[in-house]
């Protein structure tokens, strides 16, 4: 079926047209996974919600801006991908799916997250990159099992101190935000393994040598005058990392060393729950 025909049918609300879009997906898949990515859908066909044993549901790259209340029936769902859609608010029905381990919300139009998100106490990975967030919603700090947080390409200027309570958090991606200083709360999170603050506006980096769990820090593309000090064995990506020395002072001036272009972005592939 051509993409142009799919696009036309996506605007037709009849069940017949929607089933045509779904290519006759009427029975529960053996692998307990449904992938409806890139179908130009404007709504999720309700009959998908009858697959009560479903574990993975991929709805990426559509035109969705709401979800049916029947989605609550999918209480075995562990992975839900809603990235690359038109959500301005997270549908509250998502917060009823208490077995979710991975939630993809990137590339939407979200300016906030509902307080009900705290109900997802099994969530380990949250992708909220490329939205309209001017602050990190404090409800994220209620997700006690969260291990990976992707919050890049928003408009974040700081992080809430409550983030320190996420003692399972190991990886935080903050690339492409509006951070003018290294978030102080991260200095009190010794369990972090990966910190990415690439492409921000940070001018000075405090020492990170006291963080025993740290394995990688990405600080490239910041107007900084120093590299963060790290413990032995920690990899740095940015100015004056392992490959080049820090600038020397002459007559009070800092001699800048050209920045190597080494953009390193978070992994694009969707991962499975551990």
């Amino acid at each position: 079926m051509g993409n142009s025909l799919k696009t036309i049918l996506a605007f037709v609300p009849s069940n017949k047209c929607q089933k045509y879009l779904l290519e006759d997906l009427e029975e529960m898949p053996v692998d307990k996974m449904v992938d409806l990515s890139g179908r130009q859908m404007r709504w999720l066909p309700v009959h998908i919600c009858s697959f009560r044993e479903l574990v993975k549901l991929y709805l990426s790259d559509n035109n969705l801006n709401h979800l049916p209340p029947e989605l609550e029936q999918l209480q075995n769902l562990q992975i839900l991908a809603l990235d690359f859609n038109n959500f301005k608010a997270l549908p509250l029905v998502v917060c009823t799916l208490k077995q979710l381990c991975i939630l993809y919300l990137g590339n939407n139009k979200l300016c906030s997250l509902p307080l009900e998100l705290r109900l997802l106490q099994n969530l380990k990975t949250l992708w909220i990159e490329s939205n309209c967030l001017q602050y990190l919603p404090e409800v994220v700090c209620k997700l006690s099992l969260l291990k990976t947080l992707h919050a890049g390409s928003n408009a974040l200027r700081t992080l809430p101190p409550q983030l320190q309570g996420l003692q399972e958090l190991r990886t935080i991606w903050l690339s492409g935000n509006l951070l003018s200083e290294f978030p102080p709360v991260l200095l009190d999170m010794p369990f972090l393994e990966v910190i990415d603050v690439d492409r921000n506006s940070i001018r000075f980096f405090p020492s990170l040598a006291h963080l025993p769990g740290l394995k990688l820090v990405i600080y490239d593309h910041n107007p900084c005058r120093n590299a963060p000090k790290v413990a032995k064995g920690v990899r740095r990506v940015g100015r004056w990392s392992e490959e080049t020395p820090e600038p020397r002072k002459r007559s009070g001036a800092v001699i800048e060393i050209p920045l190597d272009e080494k953009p390193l972005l978070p992994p694009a592939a969707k991962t499975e729950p551990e």
Side-chain angles (χ1 to χ4, degrees):
M1 184 195 310
N3 286 333
S4 58
L5 179 56
K6 282 186 176 182
T7 301
I8 294 172
L9 291 179
F11 284 86
V12 181
S14 73
N15 289 332
K16 185 175 181 180
C17 289
Q18 292 302 299
K19 286 184 178 181
Y20 188 46
L21 274 176
L22 298 178
E23 299 174 358
D24 296 323
L25 179 62
E26 301 205 11
E27 295 184 1
M28 172 73 186
V30 176
D31 59 4
K32 299 182 180 181
M33 179 185 77
V34 169
D35 188 352
L36 300 176
S37 301
R39 304 292 183 99
Q40 289 84 46
M41 295 188 306
R42 294 174 63 86
W43 54 83
L44 176 65
V46 175
H47 85 274
I48 295 297
C49 301
S50 66
F51 301 160
R52 299 197 177 195
E53 298 302 315
L54 203 64
V55 173
K56 307 172 188 177
L57 178 57
Y58 296 95
L59 302 174
S60 307
D61 193 18
N62 281 292
N63 295 305
L64 301 172
N65 57 28
H66 68 281
L67 294 171
E70 289 84 356
L71 190 73
E72 186 177 4
Q73 299 174 24
L74 302 182
Q75 286 300 312
N76 290 299
L77 208 60
Q78 295 181 25
I79 301 176
L80 177 60
L82 299 174
D83 46 334
F84 292 94
N85 277 286
N86 293 316
F87 291 103
K88 294 183 179 180
L90 179 64
L92 293 182
V93 67
V94 172
C95 301
T96 68
L97 306 174
K98 297 182 180 180
Q99 296 304 313
L100 279 183
C101 296
I102 301 178
L103 179 58
Y104 298 100
L105 299 175
N107 290 273
N108 278 285
K109 301 173 182 177
L110 301 174
C111 294
S112 63
L113 294 172
L115 293 176
E116 289 80 358
L117 189 72
R118 70 183 186 278
L119 299 175
L120 301 182
Q121 285 299 304
N122 284 306
L123 206 62
K124 294 182 179 179
T125 299
L126 177 62
W127 294 61
I128 50 176
E129 78 283 2
S130 299
N131 275 286
C132 305
L133 298 170
Q134 297 184 13
Y135 60 92
L136 184 67
E138 291 185 10
V139 68
V140 173
C141 304
K142 302 292 185 180
L143 304 173
S144 60
L145 295 184
L146 199 65
K147 296 184 67 174
T148 301
L149 175 61
H150 292 262
S153 300
N154 280 285
L156 305 181
R157 296 180 181 274
T158 186
L159 296 179
Q162 295 89 336
L163 195 69
Q164 182 182 355
L166 294 183
Q167 298 192 10
E168 295 299 320
L169 194 64
R170 296 295 179 266
T171 303
I172 186 165
W173 304 92
L174 299 167
S175 174
N177 277 287
L178 301 176
L179 300 172
S180 59
E181 66 172 347
F182 186 83
V185 66
L186 300 184
L187 299 175
D188 296 322
M189 301 177 70
F191 35 81
L192 285 175
E193 297 179 357
V194 177
I195 299 175
D196 176 15
V197 288
D198 183 29
R199 300 181 187 278
N200 278 277
S201 300
I202 301 172
R203 294 186 173 276
F204 173 78
F205 280 95
S207 173
L208 305 180
H210 67 289
L211 300 179
L214 195 61
K215 298 177 180 178
L216 170 66
V217 56
I218 306 170
Y219 63 96
D220 221 352
H221 306 97
N222 279 280
C224 55
R225 290 180 175 271
N226 73 307
K229 295 185 183 303
V230 295
K232 184 178 180 180
V234 178
R235 184 186 173 204
R236 299 183 298 179
V237 177
R239 288 183 177 185
W240 319 305
S241 59
E242 286 81 5
E243 294 80 13
T244 55
E246 294 197 27
R248 293 169 296 167
K249 291 185 178 180
R250 290 183 182 174
S251 302
V254 175
I255 308 300
E256 297 286 347
I257 295 177
L259 172 64
D260 291 332
E261 293 295 328
K262 299 179 183 176
L264 179 58
L265 301 178
K270 291 181 170 56
T271 55
E272 302 293 326
E274 296 183 355

